[in-house]
């Protein structure tokens, strides 16, 4: 995935939010965690000199995120912070959606560090000189375009409703 993680995170978070009320912080959490696994790209490009594919880093291990959010949930129980629950739920859902989307055309090691089992639904062949073209010109990129269009449509409708509410007030 190149361009669809943030729009997919928006769609997911929008679907999980309660219908009434403003939930700006929950949306922010969903958007942040929808791209959080790719924060490893800073290490990938600036430190490791691209020696290891970034999908093999710990930030692309689903069990790492499940454990991290599990610890967060336990801390919220100990501190009696029930208000953390929705943020932890939305964050974990957004991260896992990111990894599911990555599993379409990249290897995601779903049971790391316990197993090398991975899912890579579609192998994108190397046909073009610059590796990015291989993904942009592959049919799987149409999935990304569809996700982006859907998110744009949902956002457009949400902004239209907001404008109507402002004009009525």
């Amino acid at each position: 995935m190149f361009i669809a993680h943030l729009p997919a995170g928006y769609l997911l978070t929008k679907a999980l939010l309660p219908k009434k009320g403003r939930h700006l912080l929950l949306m922010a959490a969903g958007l942040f965690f929808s791209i959080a696994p790719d924060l490893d790209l800073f290490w990938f490009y600036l430190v490791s000199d691209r020696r290891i594919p970034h999908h093999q880093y710990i930030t692309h291990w689903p069990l790492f995120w499940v454990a991290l959010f599990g610890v967060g949930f336990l801390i919220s129980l100990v501190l009696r912070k029930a208000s953390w629950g929705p943020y932890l739920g939305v964050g974990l859902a957004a991260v896992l959606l990111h990894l599911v989307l990555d599993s379409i055309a990249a290897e995601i090691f779903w049971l790391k560090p316990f197993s090398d089992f991975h899912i890579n639904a579609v192998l994108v062949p190397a046909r073009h000189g610059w590796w990015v073209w291989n993904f942009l010109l592959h049919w799987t990129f149409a999935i990304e375009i569809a996700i982006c269009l859907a998110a744009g449509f949902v956002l457009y409708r949400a902004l239209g409703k907001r404008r109507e509410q402002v004009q009525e007030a």
Side-chain angles (χ1 to χ4, degrees), residues 85-160:
Y87 297 96
L88 292 167
V90 164
L92 181 58
V95 164
L96 292 177
L97 176 61
H98 178 112
L99 298 172
V100 166
L101 292 173
D102 273 354
S103 292
I104 293 171
E107 290 181 343
I108 298 298
F109 294 84
W110 283 89
L111 300 176
K112 270 285 199 197
F114 304 109
S115 169
D116 284 338
F117 170 77
H118 64 274
I119 295 176
N120 183 1
V122 178
L123 183 62
V124 177
R127 294 185 176 149
H128 306 283
W130 185 39
W131 68 272
V132 173
W133 287 120
N134 295 311
F135 289 92
L136 296 180
L137 298 175
H138 194 264
W139 66 264
T140 55
F141 194 66
I143 297 170
E144 295 197 58
I145 298 297
I147 291 169
C148 292
L149 290 172
F153 177 74
V154 170
L155 180 60
Y156 177 78
R157 288 196 55 195
L159 292 174

